[in-house]
Amino acid sequence: MPGMVMFGRRWAIGSDDFVFPGAFELFIRVIWWIGILVLYSIHKGQYNCAGGPLLHSYLLVLLFLLAAIICSLSTILYISMQGTISNPGPRKSLPKLLYLRLSLFLPELVWAVVGAVWVSDHRVNCEKTVINAIFGTVITSWAIIIVTVVAIVVAFDPLGGKKTVCVTRYTARDLESSQSGQLFYNVKKTATQVWEKRIRLMCCCIVQDDDHRVAFTSIAEIFRGYFADTDLVPSDVAAGLILLHQEQDKVEKCPKEPEEVLVQSPSSPGANDLDTELENAAHFMKFALSTYGWPYYIMTNPFTGLCKLKGDCCRSPGETDVVGDDRFNLHFGSILKMTGLEYRDFIHISFHNKIFEIPFFVALDHKKEAIVVAVRGTLSFEDVLTDLSADCENLTLEDVLENGLVHKGITQAANYIYRRLVNDGILNQAFTIAPEYKLVVVGHSLGGGTASILAVMLKNAFPTLKCYAFAPPGGLLSKSLADYTKQFIVSIIVGKDIVPRLSMPNMEDLKRRIIRIVANCNRPKYQILLHGCWYEVFGGEPDNFPTELDGRNQLALSQPLLAEESLMINRSPSYNTLDDDSPLNSPPQYPHLYLPGRIIHIIEENSARRQVTFFFCYQWCSSEVKYTADWSKETAFGNILISPKMLTDHMPDIILRALNSVIPTNASCLSCPAQGASATNIV
């Protein structure tokens, strides 16, 4: 619903968000009131001790004050439970009740001070039980006051005052005047500044230079553009995600599943080499996983990891060219453990990490007769900034492709590695040692996207190049460039992994679906959240929430709803449910970008059956899961799927386990010559 308006400004909380906090505080207050009443009754007429009269007055006033607070909380709780997300009409009296409740904080604060003074007075000589009870009362009062202040700070919207004015102007359809135009410009400018301050605060621990400042502004513009046109509060989004997940699960049980359809394309080159590609992917996934170094090795080996690394700790890397900080040789030791290579097999290792500059290594893989360039995925704030720099820029390939669109931040990271490999002579050194080997570029997540664009840059110079991108970001390449990469790139995606489905158009689509489903549901938000939490934790059947669309014909489904339109402040470029003649109707701002290369999609054999999966136990819960793999099309990843596994399916060890599960039992490596010694020289 639209954010609640109080004190002349909009807040990041809805009038139906007081059910759970109100019920919790009401429970505390009732227990508190009963305890004080019992204490007062037991000691009635026994206040002859030093400080007793003040104690009698304190308890009596506290009882009346708590009773008033309980009455106000009960009324707030009841009113907040009325209506639906898109119908706040039954809750229109809630702001007045909140004003009343806030006014009671002043006497409560004063009485908390009085209680603190009474407890700290050494002249008081009453029973120890009474003193402890008053001390507990004072602590509880201050705790509730502090929690309330924190909640007010969290619910504060820096743009609340400007948004209230904008909503009023938008409702009046006064969008063509110069005054309104200047107003919207000021709001956009202020929103960008607010988001930039938030990003700077999150990244306060890293050294910030010009690249960071440019990235902050670019990312702030993206966030401002994405969130500026909706009037949803965070709990609305949570309710929308719950409803979408249950809707997906209901549809998945139908004979024809609407989620991505795995289609094998006989016309695509190498469409029949699935087993070979799976075997190669499982082999090279170890290289992509190893780039995360000791943090991931310790996480996947929590009890024995440190002991296994002890032998490599403080050991010199020999002649290997190492750039960046690797204290105690833990990163290098972890890479050795996960890849099974020797020190002499590494040509170059870079642990250097800045925005648009991510770690990578170059090694000789004698088993596959390959020179492997492995790029690390997201593991630092700098990597997150690289991910979020999602603007598009052109990538031109001479004699191949002109004006192909690519992800800006990932392309800059690929340019950095390209300069290091080519200009610094790292690849020349590797091919001098092993001239008959082929070049293979691998990476996971951000590393997969960077490896894909790096492979595009290197393809002309190395015609036999191959790239394996594990769970790369979805908004990576334009259609023409994605089609070109099908000759030499294979992307591997597991289940409902969210990252390969992440792109600005998909995010806009998710926002549109959330708005539509919460606008159409005629259940109160607290019921949606309660059933959703039970469903996510314990499973069961998805609830068939009735909606305002029930009983409508198909034509009505395509018409905008009043509630749906009320949730939009300013029309999103990709939001297409409002009338076409709307003055805010504009062409899509973000072009469609796709996954690189041919796509292998690995899914669970029992994906239609409900399973409870927790993030903290994903390693153990998924140990017995069986998978199947097949070729898929990029269009199968055009929607973000809501699932408890949307994050765990992205974890690199889960991908490796899935690959090992689907490779044929009789698979043999294509080239497995005896490993030979190979010297590693310094660049």
Side-chain angles (χ1 to χ4, degrees):
M1 64 156 291
M4 190 173 58
V5 177
M6 289 186 64
F7 302 105
R9 66 180 303 116
R10 184 255 193 200
W11 295 78
I13 190 171
S15 58
D16 52 357
D17 286 333
F18 294 89
V19 175
F20 298 116
F24 179 75
E25 184 181 356
L26 181 62
F27 174 77
I28 298 296
R29 297 283 186 179
V30 169
I31 298 298
W32 186 2
W33 186 83
I34 293 175
I36 296 298
L37 182 62
V38 171
L39 181 67
Y40 180 82
S41 301
I42 292 176
H43 293 83
K44 187 176 181 179
Q46 303 177 7
Y47 298 102
N48 298 324
C49 59
L54 180 60
L55 170 63
H56 178 266
S57 300
Y58 177 83
L59 292 178
L60 198 61
V61 174
L62 184 60
L63 283 172
F64 284 106
L65 183 59
L66 286 176
I69 293 175
I70 289 172
C71 291
S72 65
L73 284 175
S74 300
T75 308
I76 290 173
L77 179 62
Y78 175 76
I79 297 298
S80 185
M81 295 170 67
Q82 307 306 307
T84 63
I85 295 177
S86 58
N87 180 24
R91 302 187 297 272
K92 61 183 179 181
S93 61
L94 190 66
K96 297 178 181 179
L97 294 172
L98 289 175
Y99 288 137
L100 175 62
R101 173 66 187 93
L102 290 174
S103 66
L104 293 175
F105 272 109
L106 181 59
E108 185 177 13
L109 177 62
V110 172
W111 222 236
V113 173
V114 171
V117 172
W118 187 87
V119 170
S120 60
D121 191 350
H122 297 289
R123 295 174 298 178
V124 174
N125 190 22
C126 295
E127 292 184 14
K128 192 69 174 178
T129 304
V130 177
I131 296 177
N132 291 336
I134 301 302
F135 181 76
T137 295
V138 172
I139 295 297
T140 305
S141 297
W142 282 109
I144 291 178
I145 292 172
I146 292 173
V147 169
T148 302
V149 172
V150 172
I152 292 174
V153 172
V154 171
F156 179 78
D157 185 355
L159 300 172
K162 294 181 180 293
K163 278 190 175 182
T164 304
V165 176
C166 289
V167 171
T168 304
R169 294 293 182 88
Y170 175 66
T171 304
R173 295 293 192 264
D174 186 20
L175 295 174
E176 296 185 359
S177 67
S178 58
Q179 184 179 2
S180 295
Q182 182 64 33
L183 178 62
F184 277 119
Y185 172 79
N186 292 337
V187 170
K188 290 180 179 180
K189 182 178 179 180
T190 306
T192 302
Q193 293 172 350
V194 168
W195 278 108
E196 191 168 348
K197 289 179 181 178
R198 290 171 177 171
I199 297 170
R200 289 181 184 276
L201 182 62
M202 292 180 60
C203 302
C204 61
C205 298
I206 63 177
V207 179
Q208 299 179 8
D209 54 20
D210 291 337
D211 288 338
H212 288 83
R213 285 186 283 273
V214 172
F216 290 159
T217 302
S218 174
I219 296 170
E221 287 283 351
I222 292 175
F223 276 93
R224 188 268 304 167
Y226 185 75
F227 291 104
D229 59 354
T230 59
D231 199 10
L232 293 173
V233 297
S235 60
D236 295 338
V237 177
L241 293 175
I242 288 173
L243 290 173
L244 285 177
H245 181 211
Q246 296 185 45
E247 190 70 22
Q248 286 174 186
D249 285 355
K250 284 191 293 185
V251 177
E252 283 180 354
K253 295 182 179 181
C254 298
K256 185 178 180 180
E257 296 186 356
E259 71 168 325
E260 64 267 36
V261 180
L262 301 181
V263 179
Q264 183 166 339
S265 177
S267 60
S268 62
N272 297 320
D273 59 352
L274 178 62
D275 292 346
T276 301
E277 294 294 6
L278 286 172
E279 192 269 332
N280 287 333
H283 174 81
F284 289 114
M285 181 60 202
K286 294 183 293 185
F287 290 83
L289 188 149
S290 69
T291 58
Y292 290 98
W294 70 263
Y296 214 90
Y297 185 74
I298 297 298
M299 191 181 81
T300 53
N301 300 273
F303 303 110
T304 60
L306 285 175
C307 295
K308 292 179 179 179
L309 291 176
K310 184 175 63 175
D312 296 301
C313 180
C314 304
R315 180 179 174 182
S316 172
E319 296 182 347
T320 305
D321 181 28
V322 179
V323 176
D325 184 24
D326 183 21
R327 293 185 179 181
F328 308 115
N329 205 38
L330 290 177
H331 280 307
F332 201 175
S334 301
I335 293 174
L336 290 170
K337 295 292 184 183
M338 287 186 275
T339 59
L341 300 181
E342 302 290 339
Y343 274 87
R344 62 177 180 269
D345 296 325
F346 289 87
I347 305 296
H348 177 88
I349 299 180
S350 173
F351 300 112
H352 170 76
N353 193 197
K354 285 179 57 180
I355 184 172
F356 308 133
E357 298 177 4
I358 57 181
F360 69 98
F361 68 78
V362 181
L364 302 179
D365 179 17
H366 303 296
K367 183 177 181 179
K368 292 291 185 180
E369 292 189 341
I371 296 173
V372 180
V373 178
V375 186
R376 197 189 75 182
T378 303
L379 196 63
S380 66
F381 276 117
E382 290 86 353
D383 299 335
V384 173
L385 294 176
T386 302
D387 284 316
L388 294 177
S389 299
D391 289 334
C392 296
E393 68 177 20
N394 290 327
L395 179 65
T396 300
L397 303 176
E398 296 182 1
D399 301 326
V400 177
L401 184 68
E402 293 184 1
N403 298 327
L405 293 177
V406 290
H407 184 291
K408 180 179 179 180
I410 296 178
T411 301
Q412 293 189 36
N415 274 321
Y416 160 74
I417 299 179
Y418 179 86
R419 292 192 300 270
R420 296 294 311 278
L421 294 178
V422 176
N423 297 347
D424 294 353
I426 296 174
L427 286 183
N428 285 339
Q429 179 187 358
F431 279 101
T432 300
I433 298 173
E436 74 282 2
Y437 282 15
K438 62 180 180 293
L439 181 61
V440 178
V441 187
V442 301
H444 168 262
S445 189
L446 169 63
T450 305
S452 299
I453 297 179
L454 177 63
V456 172
M457 297 175 177
L458 293 170
K459 178 62 176 175
N460 282 348
F462 303 93
T464 61
L465 175 145
K466 191 78 175 179
C467 174
Y468 291 93
F470 303 94
L476 192 63
L477 307 174
S478 60
K479 178 63 175 174
S480 57
L481 195 53
D483 290 339
Y484 167 70
T485 60
K486 291 181 180 180
Q487 305 173 25
F488 54 94
I489 297 179
V490 176
S491 293
I492 294 89
I493 299 168
V494 173
K496 297 181 179 180
D497 185 355
I498 186 175
V499 173
R501 296 174 170 85
L502 279 181
S503 66
M504 291 310 300
N506 285 2
M507 290 297 294
E508 288 285 345
D509 174 71
L510 177 64
K511 178 173 64 176
R512 177 186 62 80
R513 288 190 288 150
I514 289 176
I515 290 173
R516 191 159 188 83
I517 201 166
V518 299
N520 296 341
C521 184
N522 63 7
R523 287 286 186 90
K525 187 192 299 181
Y526 76 94
Q527 293 184 13
I528 299 173
L529 296 177
L530 277 176
H531 181 269
C533 291
W534 180 273
Y535 181 75
E536 298 297 339
V537 175
F538 300 105
E541 293 296 323
D543 197 350
N544 188 23
F545 283 119
T547 70
E548 297 174 5
L549 293 179
D550 291 344
R552 295 191 180 190
N553 56 31
Q554 188 65 27
L555 178 62
L557 297 179
S558 62
Q559 301 301 316
L561 298 172
L562 178 60
E564 181 180 2
E565 188 170 356
S566 71
L567 296 175
M568 307 297 294
I569 295 179
N570 183 13
R571 191 183 182 316
S572 169
S574 299
Y575 189 69
N576 53 16
T577 57
L578 298 182
D579 295 334
D580 291 337
D581 58 353
S582 169
L584 296 174
N585 188 12
S586 58
Q589 178 182 354
Y590 306 106
H592 283 280
L593 299 182
Y594 299 88
L595 290 164
R598 293 181 295 151
I599 302 170
I600 296 177
H601 191 194
I602 305 175
I603 61 173
E604 296 180 22
E605 291 181 347
N606 54 354
S607 60
R609 182 170 59 88
R610 173 71 177 162
Q611 290 185 344
V612 180
T613 304
F614 296 95
F615 178 79
F616 61 83
C617 70
Y618 71 91
Q619 298 180 56
W620 297 273
C621 295
S622 58
S623 59
E624 298 180 358
V625 175
K626 301 300 181 182
Y627 295 91
T628 58
D630 207 341
W631 295 106
S632 182
K633 292 183 177 180
E634 63 272 10
T635 54
F637 303 90
N639 289 322
I640 295 176
L641 301 179
I642 310 302
S643 169
K645 293 189 175 183
M646 62 195 298
L647 296 178
T648 57
D649 281 344
H650 185 69
M651 306 306 288
D653 58 320
I654 293 295
I655 298 176
L656 180 59
R657 185 179 293 120
L659 284 168
N660 289 331
S661 173
V662 297
I663 57 177
T665 55
N666 59 347
S668 57
C669 53
L670 300 177
S671 55
C672 300
Q675 294 190 14
S678 178
T680 304
N681 300 323
I682 300 176
V683 177

